[in-house]
Amino acid sequence: EAQVTQNPRYLITVTGKKLTVTCSQNMNHEYMSWYRQDPGLGLRQIYYSMNVEVTDKGDVPEGYKVSRKEKRNFPLILESPSPNQTSLYFCASSLWGQGVNEQYFGPGTRLTVT
Amino acid sequence: GNSVTQMEGPVTLSEEAFLTINCTYTATGYPSLFWYVQYPGEGLQLLLKATKADDKGSNKGFEATYRKETTSFHLEKGSVQVSDSAVYFCALNQAGTALIFGKGTTLSVSS
């Protein structure tokens, strides 16, 4: 089954404790992206990657890091989480380039930073 | 730059009512347009899409027509059900660029 998986689904942590949210897709997609969803703000893109070893900042990259060492994986790293990073996070993937490229979303990770 | 504007919610309807959620966009060239739906506790999934002017996307009784003259892509459904309660996102995309979302509209349908 074609899918994007994220882990963990729920995470409660404390300020400053490094964490990683994993994202994996099995569709051989070039493009992967991380979003955060906050009430009244919709989805905002954090980082994206157009292929292995190619990443770039989205609209709200501060406080986050990513890496793309393999095509299927795109982890999101919070080196020193703060309470303003409490949010619902989504990973997505798609083909990249010409044509209409539907994005497939993971189920979301709800992060609470206290 | 490109942007998407959706009507603010929440939209509250009774079962079998007619639904319209307005969406307008700003873009250079000819973007592709999408509606995504997010059911409670789930990720977003594609509801319908249109790739050129006057195209009509449709799925699960929902429809939207790509209107270039009014830069709009309004979502409609003739008779909503309780199971349609969700958050709806309008989005646009141009080849080689990232998907741009509106802020989402929450729909609540009561029986």
Side-chain angles (χ1 to χ4, degrees):
Chain A
E1 179 190 355
Q3 60 182 350
V4 178
T5 56
Q6 294 178 229
N7 281 293
R9 293 289 312 277
Y10 302 91
L11 179 60
I12 301 173
T13 190
V14 296
T15 299
K17 186 176 181 182
K18 181 179 178 180
L19 66 92
T20 299
V21 183
T22 64
C23 173
S24 182
Q25 50 93 6
N26 63 1
M27 295 167 279
N28 202 35
H29 285 164
E30 298 90 1
Y31 182 88
M32 297 186 75
S33 179
W34 276 102
Y35 298 89
R36 60 179 289 174
Q37 183 179 15
D38 302 288
L41 298 176
L43 279 93
R44 295 180 292 169
Q45 191 178 49
I46 303 170
Y47 269 94
Y48 63 95
S49 168
M50 290 180 282
N51 216 322
V52 175
E53 302 292 1
V54 180
T55 64
D56 209 345
K57 296 177 181 178
D59 298 320
V60 288
E62 295 78 20
Y64 304 94
K65 287 175 56 178
V66 293
S67 69
R68 188 90 182 273
K69 294 185 171 60
E70 305 165 281
K71 198 171 187 180
R72 64 183 294 123
N73 295 324
F74 190 47
L76 179 70
I77 303 156
L78 285 71
E79 295 267 3
S80 183
S82 61
N84 64 12
Q85 293 178 298
T86 292
S87 187
L88 179 57
Y89 292 86
F90 289 101
C91 180
S93 74
S94 72
L95 296 171
W96 182 253
Q98 296 300 315
V100 177
N101 297 319
E102 173 187 351
Q103 285 204 10
Y104 294 81
F105 283 79
T109 295
R110 186 166 291 283
L111 172 65
T112 302
V113 183
T114 61
Chain B
N2 295 349
S3 66
V4 175
T5 302
Q6 288 181 237
M7 64 185 287
E8 300 220 358
V11 174
T12 303
L13 295 173
S14 298
E15 209 165 22
E16 299 184 4
F18 184 85
L19 168 70
T20 300
I21 300 178
N22 290 338
C23 171
T24 58
Y25 67 90
T26 301
T28 55
Y30 301 92
S32 298
L33 300 174
F34 305 83
W35 278 100
Y36 280 81
V37 59
Q38 182 183 26
Y39 297 106
E42 298 183 12
L44 281 73
Q45 55 187 275
L46 182 66
L47 180 60
L48 53 84
K49 65 186 179 187
T51 61
K52 60 184 187 297
D54 299 325
D55 265 4
K56 178 185 283 189
S58 62
N59 185 24
K60 299 182 180 181
F62 291 88
E63 292 183 339
T65 301
Y66 189 144
R67 301 282 188 205
K68 186 158 178 62
E69 63 276 12
T70 54
T71 62
S72 65
F73 193 54
H74 304 322
L75 182 68
E76 297 182 335
K77 187 175 186 183
S79 176
V80 294
Q81 305 300 311
V82 172
S83 57
D84 293 326
S85 298
V87 182
Y88 292 82
F89 292 90
C90 185
L92 74 79
N93 169 249
Q94 293 179 282
T97 68
L99 200 62
I100 295 173
F101 288 92
K103 293 187 176 180
T105 302
T106 299
L107 170 65
S108 178
V109 181
S110 59
S111 58

